[in-house]
Amino acid sequence: STNWWIMDLGFTNLRDNTNYTSAQAGGYLRTLNTAAGPVTANSMKLNTGKSSNFNLWFFMQKMNVYKHVVNLKYGLGYEMYNFRFDRSLSYRKDPSPYVFNDTVSFSKNKLFAGYITVPFMININTAPSKQKSLSFSAGVSAGYLVASRNKQVSNERGKVKYKGDFDLEPFRLAAIAEVGLGPVRLYGSYSLNKLHRSSTGLDQTPFAFGIRFSNW
């Protein structure tokens, strides 16, 4: 069976294991103003309540493997991550990507990353004959980065968007899971690779969780 236009609404965050002393020795983390100081873990701190994950799945299909209790689930969609910074962190590309502490105070400052993604899961439906059955799904997803930008809003500069790949990893592999009772579903994902390329020195792993609006 096929389920069209599934939507996820959730939150995202980063597990940060960066050695900032080592990373600052490279060229990706820059200090452009001594008053603003170098980029540290505090610079990368996210606003957890405003860092969001919105996914739109064009379709998902479920294929019976064993008596409709065990199924395969797969599909195609667009994953969107908004990492909302609490500090005045800026991403630029001139000509190579870099990150620095800005001197401007932003009312909104976020890094957006969008991926075309293919999920693949094993689904267990505990009571396939019942409409409100308990189900579990787990598997992996593979995504490719198709859009990224740093959107900022301030009194000094107004609303601006800086586009570029910013040395983000172009491919994303994640462990994914879903649990549902009837039409109510919760989802979660944990990236199996880092948000940025290893050359940046940043060791940040994204994860997300939220509600999935789906027929099954």
Side-chain angles (χ1 to χ4, degrees):
S1 59
T2 303
N3 196 354
W4 300 94
W5 305 111
I6 300 161
M7 186 173 64
D8 297 343
L9 289 176
F11 297 96
T12 188
N13 212 313
L14 295 169
R15 183 169 177 263
D16 194 351
N17 291 322
T18 303
N19 183 331
Y20 282 90
T21 302
S22 175
Q24 287 160 6
Y28 189 70
L29 305 184
R30 299 186 187 180
T31 304
L32 302 186
N33 187 293
T34 53
V39 176
T40 64
N42 197 46
S43 308
M44 291 278 186
K45 186 179 179 182
L46 296 183
N47 185 321
T48 55
K50 294 184 178 180
S51 295
S52 62
N53 171 226
F54 174 72
N55 306 321
L56 183 63
W57 303 102
F58 310 131
F59 73 92
M60 280 195 183
Q61 289 186 329
K62 182 167 65 172
M63 184 173 66
N64 173 43
V65 174
Y66 177 73
K67 295 184 177 181
H68 298 283
V69 174
V70 181
N71 308 280
L72 294 180
K73 286 183 70 172
Y74 51 89
L76 177 68
Y78 186 41
E79 292 185 293
M80 291 160 275
Y81 293 83
N82 291 286
F83 302 103
R84 182 80 172 262
F85 297 110
D86 251 350
R87 304 292 187 266
S88 296
L89 187 76
S90 289
Y91 282 76
R92 296 293 186 270
K93 189 174 183 180
D94 186 27
S96 59
Y98 64 95
V99 177
F100 68 100
N101 284 333
D102 216 317
T103 55
V104 173
S105 179
F106 300 109
S107 59
K108 178 182 287 187
N109 183 21
K110 69 177 183 179
L111 174 67
F112 170 84
Y115 303 84
I116 292 292
T117 301
V118 175
F120 186 85
M121 294 181 284
I122 300 295
N123 167 258
I124 305 297
N125 191 339
T126 57
S129 61
K130 296 181 180 179
Q131 193 172 15
K132 293 185 178 180
S133 60
L134 183 65
S135 67
F136 306 90
S137 301
V140 295
S141 67
Y144 182 74
L145 184 70
V146 294
S148 53
R149 55 185 174 268
N150 184 196
K151 181 180 179 180
Q152 300 174 324
V153 179
S154 64
N155 291 331
E156 293 87 343
R157 299 172 188 167
K159 184 186 295 184
V160 292
K161 294 180 182 179
Y162 299 94
K163 297 181 180 181
D165 63 12
F166 302 126
D167 272 352
L168 301 182
E169 273 288 352
F171 294 97
R172 180 175 184 269
L173 186 66
I176 56 175
E178 174 192 271
V179 59
L181 179 61
V184 180
R185 299 186 179 278
L186 301 177
Y187 76 93
S189 72
Y190 186 87
S191 184
L192 299 176
N193 58 342
K194 310 306 178 187
L195 177 63
H196 300 80
R197 294 178 186 266
S198 59
S199 58
T200 65
L202 292 175
D203 184 357
Q204 297 175 331
T205 305
F207 60 92
F209 58 91
I211 299 174
R212 173 162 294 165
F213 298 92
S214 172
N215 292 331
W216 42 252

